[in-house]
Amino acid sequence: MNHDDHWEKQLQQLPLGNGGFSVESMNKIKERIRLNRTTRLRSARIAVAAVSIVSVAAVAWAINRGMQPQQVATEPRVDETEAQLIVQYWDNQSFMNQIGQPYMIRHPNIDFKIVTSQSNDLASYRKWLEESNADVLQIPLAYIDDLAKDGAIIPLDDMLKRDRVDLDEMYQPMIELMREAGGGKLYALVDQFSTDLLFYNKTLFQRHRVPLPDEGDTWDDIFRLAGRFDGSTEDGKPVYGLSFGWRSDPYNAIMKVGRSEGLSLVDAKGLPQVDSDAWHKVWSQVTEGFGKGWINNEPGPAASNIGWTEESIMKADTFINNRAAMSLQSYNSSWNFISKAIEKGIFTGDWDALPVSSSTAPEVTRSFGGAIIYAINAKSPNKDQAMKLIEYIVSKEQSERDYVSGNFPLHANRATSVSIANDPADRVYAAKLDADTILEQLERNQLPGVLEMSAALNAKGTEAAQSIIAGRTTVEETLSQLQEEAVSAIQSSGRTDGLP
Amino acid sequence: MDYDYLKQMNDGLDRNALLDELMVTYGKEVWNYAFFLTRRRELAEDIAQDSFIKAYHHIYSYRGDRSMKAWLLAITRNTARDYFKSAWFRKVQFIPEDFGQGLARPSAENEWFGTQRQREIWNAVLELPRKLRETLLLYAHHQLSIKEISELTQLSEGTVKSRLFRARAVINRTFGKSAVSEGRDRT
């Protein structure tokens, strides 16, 4: 045995195979507490056979965890100086549940104060930041370059290097996106992100003798395949080629397709291009699908006084009920429903998922739905502690906590010691993201008047699309009208430069 | 530090949520420590369960004067000692499990089971007398400092160092090497 391979290092991992502390152990402990059985009984293991509900995630976690090397948990650091970190987050309670409480267990000397920002544009965020004394910021992606130029946030590269954070183990497109946003430097780190995936029901494709979608398929290919289901029925009910989740809104579908094609409603100067040829094509394809009925056009679940319930959504979603061959949905929300539908035996088809490619760049995806991003306030007196907190938030350990809790977020630092059978996240992490186009779309959305313009179009879009579907107007007429609406909305916001 | 930091947690302390957190974070540590002390999986499971139940009931007595891990391991140690003292334990003769046979059983379903050499090392360590075994593993597996081990076991730091030295010497002899450690020990 040589020095390089010292036996003592081997003791850091206990190769237990399928054994050790498991979800089953956790459930037994909780059950014994519930039954108030504090006395030791050897028969406890047998007596408490009926454990509480174990989610799919938990079971998979248990199984998978047992097969992984037993790693030493992160060691609590009790030698830190006491500090109160001020963190920008949505609300105190969810911060403490998600991050604060587990962090305080590991770092007993750190206390938290949560602050929120109500700003919805860069100018008001800048003002808020000026007055804020937050150490850790949760910033919009589109603001990174501006705040970096202001010197309001600090580059993290050196601190990450010092703390030996392995950026290579993170989902590289998210690191590239951050570097791109920061002009080469890393000013922020992504915790979670969202992206759309095209789920497809192989069984339906096979039953209707339609070839399966393939990697690299563009929207032209997907619409062509979806159109093959035109007029299809099963058991007297329509079968659709494509759906867009559980809500059937043609304007929402047009925006999703347009976004994944890398289209923007405004040009580089922030001037409307609602009636461009590229948008014209998307409107034509989507409204044709809705009109002919190969895109799901059912009204969706009725909202109760508490909004939509999980039950009503699962009942109304045509993909979950094996009546839509494909469905473009955000990974995060759809997988939650689909996995439950599989567990309950509602969704029975053989299935898979794919990232959607743009017709102009088939090797990348542009279906980016946003990210939760953290940065450090340049004015913070607690930069090292703030860095430690961000490092914890984006750690694999924290991703694992989140995953085990039954949520399905996409973490930039993916949990690798836990997994669920057939989790389509593999498809997301295998995809490449078009950082340039995504940032360009976001930048354009920040230009003056664009927010007001988007709001005006959102208010009119669905009705306009319905009008085309019903044959009352043409795509040309509708887009021409919406273009005028867009110009008018920007003018109303106070901007006049460059407008007709 | 002599304050109860848990009581300072914002919005009060949800004991059940904290239990989940402790189990997810330190479940393996507690279970493994119980296993090192007993060398039996079924006992490790019992002790780990009992330890977390005790932690749940005494969570408000935790003070931030040591790490949560060290606190949980101390509870685990006391729970194991209760087992050793029990009439039931004294009546039963345990034969240590062979690490290669009993624990890391290779199978098609379990791709990761450690190398032959790892199994030899673990078998040798688990064959150590309990006092040496415990000290070595608190140091090498649980990554506690000499000071933390001293507090946990209520032994002087000198005794901990001596046990660590003796444990290493035995293992090194097994593998034909002198009792020198790599670099400096954590203090």
Side-chain angles (χ1 to χ4, degrees):
Chain A
M1 200 180 303
N2 59 44
H3 265 291
D4 295 335
D5 196 17
H6 195 274
W7 59 263
E8 208 165 308
K9 283 186 182 165
Q10 301 286 333
L11 298 177
Q12 288 184 12
Q13 294 182 352
L14 174 62
L16 274 177
N18 291 322
F21 196 76
S22 64
V23 169
E24 199 183 353
S25 311
M26 289 167 60
N27 283 322
K28 283 175 180 170
I29 289 164
K30 287 194 260 187
E31 184 69 4
R32 286 177 63 190
I33 287 171
R34 196 178 67 76
L35 297 173
N36 201 21
R37 294 180 58 170
T38 52
T39 52
R40 175 179 57 83
L41 287 174
R42 279 198 47 75
S43 58
R45 292 197 312 273
I46 303 158
V48 192
V51 294
S52 56
I53 298 166
V54 180
S55 69
V56 181
V59 171
W61 176 70
I63 293 165
N64 205 300
R65 206 176 174 94
M67 292 170 69
Q68 296 295 326
Q70 305 284 297
Q71 291 171 343
V72 178
T74 306
E75 196 165 349
R77 292 167 54 95
V78 290
D79 55 339
E80 292 171 339
T81 51
E82 286 183 32
Q84 184 187 58
L85 280 178
I86 303 175
V87 182
Q88 180 197 347
Y89 205 81
W90 303 291
D91 71 274
N92 188 59
Q93 187 67 51
S94 57
F95 174 82
M96 287 311 292
N97 288 343
Q98 292 293 317
I99 298 164
Q101 195 156 290
Y103 193 78
M104 285 172 85
I105 287 170
R106 291 159 179 78
H107 304 264
N109 292 327
I110 300 294
D111 193 11
F112 293 107
K113 183 182 168 193
I114 303 306
V115 290
T116 53
S117 164
Q118 304 297 330
S119 53
N120 56 10
D121 59 29
L122 180 58
S124 58
Y125 189 79
R126 270 186 172 131
K127 190 166 180 292
W128 176 83
L129 192 55
E130 190 78 10
E131 292 158 6
S132 162
N133 50 0
D135 299 292
V136 174
L137 304 169
Q138 201 186 55
I139 58 171
L141 174 54
Y143 298 173
I144 291 175
D145 59 341
D146 296 291
L147 297 176
K149 278 178 206 151
D150 291 352
I153 53 175
I154 57 168
L156 309 178
D157 295 271
D158 289 345
M159 283 194 281
L160 289 166
K161 201 172 172 187
R162 177 198 68 194
D163 295 345
R164 294 178 186 173
V165 174
D166 185 3
L167 295 175
D168 289 342
E169 68 176 10
M170 296 190 191
Y171 179 48
Q172 286 309 298
M174 284 302 127
I175 299 291
E176 287 156 17
L177 191 65
M178 291 302 102
R179 286 208 186 280
E180 188 82 26
K185 284 186 181 173
L186 206 58
Y187 283 91
L189 285 173
V190 174
D191 172 19
Q192 302 172 24
F193 64 99
S194 167
T195 187
D196 286 342
L197 272 184
L198 184 77
F199 292 84
Y200 62 99
N201 184 329
K202 289 184 188 175
T203 311
L204 272 185
F205 270 93
Q206 281 151 4
R207 219 154 43 211
H208 291 261
R209 298 177 187 282
V210 178
L212 296 173
D214 206 354
E215 252 175 82
D217 274 1
T218 64
W219 275 109
D220 288 343
D221 302 314
I222 291 160
F223 286 131
R224 187 173 40 78
L225 291 176
R228 297 273 298 268
F229 287 85
D230 191 4
S232 298
T233 58
E234 281 190 12
D235 303 325
K237 288 182 176 174
V239 170
Y240 304 99
L242 180 62
S243 77
F244 289 87
W246 50 275
R247 269 187 289 191
S248 177
D249 179 340
Y251 184 70
N252 178 47
I254 288 164
M255 288 301 116
K256 265 184 181 284
V257 174
R259 191 166 62 201
S260 83
E261 283 283 25
L263 303 185
S264 176
L265 290 168
V266 293
D267 64 14
K269 291 178 180 168
L271 303 176
Q273 50 179 10
V274 178
D275 58 351
S276 68
D277 289 347
W279 276 114
H280 189 283
K281 185 181 173 189
V282 176
W283 275 79
S284 299
Q285 287 171 319
V286 174
T287 51
E288 183 194 342
F290 271 88
K292 289 187 173 170
W294 46 263
I295 293 180
N296 170 36
N297 53 10
E298 294 182 13
S304 69
N305 56 356
I306 53 162
W308 289 282
T309 63
E310 185 175 297
E311 195 187 356
S312 68
I313 289 169
M314 288 183 63
K315 213 172 167 182
D317 188 313
T318 49
F319 183 78
I320 279 176
N321 288 281
N322 309 289
R323 292 201 295 114
M326 296 179 277
S327 185
L328 185 80
Q329 304 193 41
S330 92
Y331 163 87
N332 313 57
S333 57
S334 58
W335 177 231
N336 179 35
F337 289 126
I338 292 171
S339 61
K340 281 178 184 159
I342 293 170
E343 203 181 343
K344 289 179 177 176
I346 298 169
F347 181 58
T348 53
D350 187 13
W351 64 282
D352 205 341
L354 286 171
V356 182
S357 303
S358 161
S359 52
T360 52
E363 72 286 359
V364 292
T365 181
R366 292 161 171 169
S367 290
F368 179 69
I372 301 173
I373 300 164
Y374 292 95
I376 298 174
N377 189 342
K379 290 190 301 184
S380 166
N382 302 307
K383 291 188 183 71
D384 285 341
Q385 285 96 334
M387 189 70 249
K388 285 280 171 211
L389 176 66
I390 294 175
E391 286 168 7
Y392 173 73
I393 293 171
V394 303
S395 68
K396 269 197 196 309
E397 188 185 2
Q398 176 70 351
S399 303
E400 185 177 300
R401 270 190 80 254
D402 221 9
Y403 203 85
V404 172
S405 69
N407 298 319
F408 299 114
L410 292 164
H411 294 100
N413 200 352
R414 187 183 185 185
T416 46
S417 68
V418 290
S419 65
I420 298 167
N422 300 321
D423 185 345
D426 287 343
R427 296 295 197 176
V428 175
Y429 289 106
K432 286 180 183 163
L433 215 59
D434 183 355
D436 282 346
T437 305
I438 290 165
L439 285 171
E440 187 184 273
Q441 284 176 323
L442 291 169
E443 289 291 332
R444 289 185 184 186
N445 289 344
Q446 300 302 317
L447 294 170
V450 175
L451 196 70
E452 290 81 355
M453 182 205 74
S454 298
L457 293 177
N458 280 338
K460 307 246 174 179
T462 302
E463 198 187 323
Q466 296 287 14
S467 174
I468 300 170
I469 292 164
R472 291 192 293 273
T473 54
T474 63
V475 174
E476 288 80 6
E477 287 165 355
T478 304
L479 290 188
S480 170
Q481 199 182 335
L482 287 179
Q483 174 76 8
E484 284 176 26
E485 298 271 0
V487 171
S488 161
I490 292 182
Q491 279 170 338
S492 304
S493 75
R495 180 181 167 181
T496 52
D497 58 299
L499 292 169
Chain B
M1 215 168 27
D2 65 347
Y3 65 88
D4 182 348
Y5 93 89
L6 288 171
K7 284 182 182 163
Q8 297 203 338
M9 281 192 167
N10 302 17
D11 288 344
L13 173 65
D14 178 349
R15 200 161 55 150
N16 293 316
L18 187 64
L19 175 71
D20 280 345
E21 195 56 53
L22 291 176
M23 290 194 296
V24 168
T25 311
Y26 297 116
K28 280 191 294 194
E29 295 263 2
V30 166
W31 195 100
N32 290 357
Y33 184 37
F35 174 73
F36 299 148
L37 292 171
T38 63
R39 297 186 295 191
R40 301 292 300 185
R41 272 186 287 185
E42 66 272 28
L43 276 177
E45 178 69 27
D46 277 353
I47 291 168
Q49 285 189 26
D50 285 358
S51 301
F52 277 110
I53 291 168
K54 283 182 188 171
Y56 176 84
H57 288 296
H58 296 95
I59 195 75
Y60 293 115
S61 67
Y62 171 74
R63 292 178 181 280
D65 55 352
R66 60 171 122 174
S67 74
M68 185 59 92
K69 182 166 91 174
W71 182 68
L72 283 169
L73 293 183
I75 292 177
T76 310
R77 191 169 198 270
N78 289 335
T79 309
R81 269 182 26 185
D82 291 345
Y83 266 79
F84 296 146
K85 280 186 208 156
S86 72
W88 168 81
F89 187 86
R90 280 186 270 118
K91 269 188 241 166
V92 181
Q93 281 291 318
F94 286 112
I95 302 160
E97 292 189 47
D98 181 315
F99 203 72
Q101 299 295 314
L103 290 172
R105 192 178 295 114
S107 72
E109 299 79 40
N110 181 5
E111 289 178 8
W112 197 91
F113 46 84
T115 61
Q116 175 65 28
R117 192 170 152 276
Q118 269 180 314
R119 290 199 293 276
E120 285 170 8
I121 292 165
W122 274 101
N123 275 331
V125 169
L126 292 172
E127 282 294 321
L128 285 170
R130 189 194 304 161
K131 289 174 183 174
L132 301 189
R133 181 171 76 227
E134 181 188 20
T135 309
L136 175 63
L137 288 170
L138 283 172
Y139 185 82
H141 179 82
H142 296 286
Q143 303 277 298
L144 296 188
S145 65
I146 301 284
K147 185 170 179 288
E148 284 176 310
I149 298 171
S150 153
E151 285 167 2
L152 176 65
T153 54
Q154 295 180 325
L155 297 167
S156 70
E157 290 187 28
T159 307
V160 171
K161 283 180 187 167
S162 156
R163 285 186 183 180
L164 195 55
F165 181 86
R166 283 158 57 204
R168 283 171 172 156
V170 174
I171 301 299
N172 282 334
R173 268 203 302 278
T174 308
F175 294 106
K177 191 162 166 268
S178 62
V180 286
S181 65
E182 280 186 326
R184 288 181 60 191
D185 282 338
R186 292 183 300 275
T187 50

